[in-house]
Amino acid sequence: DGGITQSPKYLFRKEGQNVTLSCEQNLNHDAMYWYRQDPGQGLRLIYYSQIVNDFQKGDIAEGYSVSREKKESFPLTVTSAQKNPTAFYLCASQWGQGLNTEAFFGQGTRLTVV
Amino acid sequence: DAKTTQPTSMDCAEGRAANLPCNHSTISGNEYVYWYRQIHSQGPQYIIHGLKNNETNEMASLIITEDRKSSTLILPHATLRDTAVYYCIVSFDSWGKLQFGAGTQVVVTP
């Protein structure tokens, strides 16, 4: 089945450690996005990528890093510089450029710092 | 991107139509209106989008006013599985970066 897959579903991290969240899509989509969601709030954009080997900062990029070496993959690293990393992280993909296309979301990774 | 205003919450009886309003008074001519919903602890799900004309698909209908300053999402026959947070988003960005607000918490009751 075509879709977008995030792993793991739950992740625990000790303070001071970096951790990488996986996002893979087999929809042949050009654009991929990472969002963060805190309890009771909407989604906020962390990073996005329009094409392989290129990505742009979103609204809350500090303390995060990404790579886009393959069209299918857009991993997010939460670094120790992120002051409050506990949150629900969502990856999305979209078909190319255009307002007339919808975004497809993964099921999310819930990160908890212990 | 234009901002949207939605009610914080609303209840709906199972089997009845749910009408979800959204105000977007600063929308510009080439911005689309999108609706997504998010069931608890899951990723958002696309519902429908439109520019000027009313739209309908298997999930819902979207009614956009003639001046485009507001819209209404209609779930024709609400079921318990429609309980979710519904987000109304307007987007100018050509790559469709979505600005999510707090949305409307819809609770469908038996």
Side-chain angles (χ1 to χ4, degrees):
Chain A
D1 289 337
I4 182 165
T5 302
Q6 291 186 241
S7 62
K9 188 171 183 179
Y10 298 96
L11 189 56
F12 296 88
R13 190 197 90 175
K14 293 182 179 180
E15 283 193 37
Q17 288 183 338
N18 294 352
V19 64
T20 297
L21 283 60
S22 170
C23 179
E24 304 277 336
Q25 54 96 1
N26 59 5
L27 300 166
N28 200 32
H29 286 171
D30 294 307
M32 296 187 74
Y33 308 83
W34 274 106
Y35 292 87
R36 168 184 171 137
Q37 187 174 34
D38 293 289
Q41 299 186 25
L43 283 67
R44 292 184 290 167
L45 183 65
I46 304 173
Y47 268 98
Y48 64 101
S49 169
Q50 299 170 353
I51 196 170
V52 174
N53 293 321
D54 185 60
F55 48 83
Q56 307 294 329
K57 292 182 179 180
D59 300 321
I60 55 165
E62 185 176 353
Y64 300 97
S65 66
V66 293
S67 63
R68 186 84 186 277
E69 297 177 0
K70 298 186 299 182
K71 188 176 186 179
E72 303 80 18
S73 179
F74 190 42
L76 173 74
T77 297
V78 184
T79 74
S80 56
Q82 169 51 234
K83 300 303 181 187
N84 186 20
T86 295
F88 189 44
Y89 290 88
L90 288 153
C91 180
S93 70
Q94 188 176 25
W95 177 263
Q97 183 175 7
L99 288 170
N100 200 28
T101 61
E102 68 266 32
F104 292 80
F105 284 82
Q107 289 305 298
T109 293
R110 191 166 300 279
L111 173 64
T112 303
V113 174
V114 296
Chain B
D1 291 344
K3 291 188 175 180
T4 62
T5 303
Q6 299 178 251
T8 303
S9 63
M10 61 184 297
D11 295 334
C12 178
E14 187 178 20
R16 303 294 295 270
N19 296 288
L20 282 64
C22 180
N23 289 322
H24 31 79
S25 58
T26 61
I27 193 170
S28 61
N30 53 0
E31 287 186 302
Y32 280 75
V33 179
Y34 291 84
W35 283 85
Y36 285 77
R37 73 179 183 183
Q38 186 177 24
I39 296 170
H40 183 64
S41 295
Q42 296 184 21
Q45 176 189 24
Y46 166 81
I47 301 173
I48 199 168
H49 72 282
L51 182 62
K52 295 180 182 178
N53 299 321
N54 298 336
E55 303 287 345
T56 296
N57 63 20
E58 64 277 5
M59 289 182 68
S61 295
L62 174 61
I63 308 299
I64 303 174
T65 58
E66 191 169 345
D67 63 6
R68 301 203 334 116
K69 292 185 177 182
S70 66
S71 61
T72 301
L73 178 75
I74 301 173
L75 307 177
H77 304 287
T79 70
L80 299 179
R81 289 176 293 181
D82 292 323
T83 292
V85 177
Y86 287 76
Y87 297 99
C88 169
I89 302 162
V90 296
S91 179
F92 170 73
D93 188 273
S94 62
W95 283 91
K97 298 196 301 293
L98 302 171
Q99 296 287 343
F100 285 81
T104 297
Q105 173 68 64
V106 173
V107 176
V108 180
T109 55

